[in-house]
Amino acid sequence: MPFRGRDPDCRVIPGETPPDRLLLSHISINFDRTGFQEDWNVVFPLDRLNELAAERIIGSAAQTHYSFMGATDPVLMEPHAREVAGRLKSDRVDAVILSPV
């Protein structure tokens, strides 16, 4: 489901989601989508993480990923961010990549 302006919650992205099922929903006419259109790993580097796991450089990529909308009031986002942090902790995730897009 695409974000609407200033949504404070997150979107859950299963690890097996194919690139053609992802939507970049930035609405600014000043935002250049070219990199995402050419290679989704520019904003969501799941292929790179899976390659690192295959090479045993990292243990694995998480089974579930999360996306937040930018330009949102941090106070409204906080409860949702805390919920995601709890999920990551219970899934025993050791590290995260924050992709500022």
Side-chain angles (χ1 to χ4, degrees):
M1 168 190 299
F3 284 103
R4 294 165 300 170
R6 306 200 190 296
D7 279 348
D9 59 340
C10 71
R11 300 296 180 265
V12 177
I13 305 170
E16 67 275 359
T17 301
D20 64 354
R21 301 277 302 156
L22 295 174
L23 172 68
L24 188 62
S25 60
H26 284 283
I27 59 173
S28 172
I29 61 170
N30 297 314
F31 184 75
D32 182 3
R33 294 170 177 79
T34 306
F36 173 76
Q37 292 166 339
E38 291 179 4
D39 181 2
W40 73 314
N41 288 282
V42 170
V43 294
F44 187 53
L46 190 54
D47 291 336
R48 303 296 83 83
L49 290 172
N50 287 329
E51 289 168 1
L52 291 170
E55 295 172 17
R56 298 179 188 259
I57 296 170
I58 64 172
S60 66
Q63 295 296 308
T64 306
H65 308 275
Y66 304 92
S67 177
F68 283 89
M69 175 67 135
T72 302
D73 183 343
V75 172
L76 298 176
M77 292 176 74
E78 185 175 353
H80 304 286
R82 288 183 180 280
E83 179 184 342
V84 169
R87 289 182 189 178
L88 294 170
K89 187 174 181 179
S90 70
D91 286 345
R92 302 181 63 160
V93 172
D94 295 322
V96 299
I97 295 175
L98 301 175
S99 191
V101 177

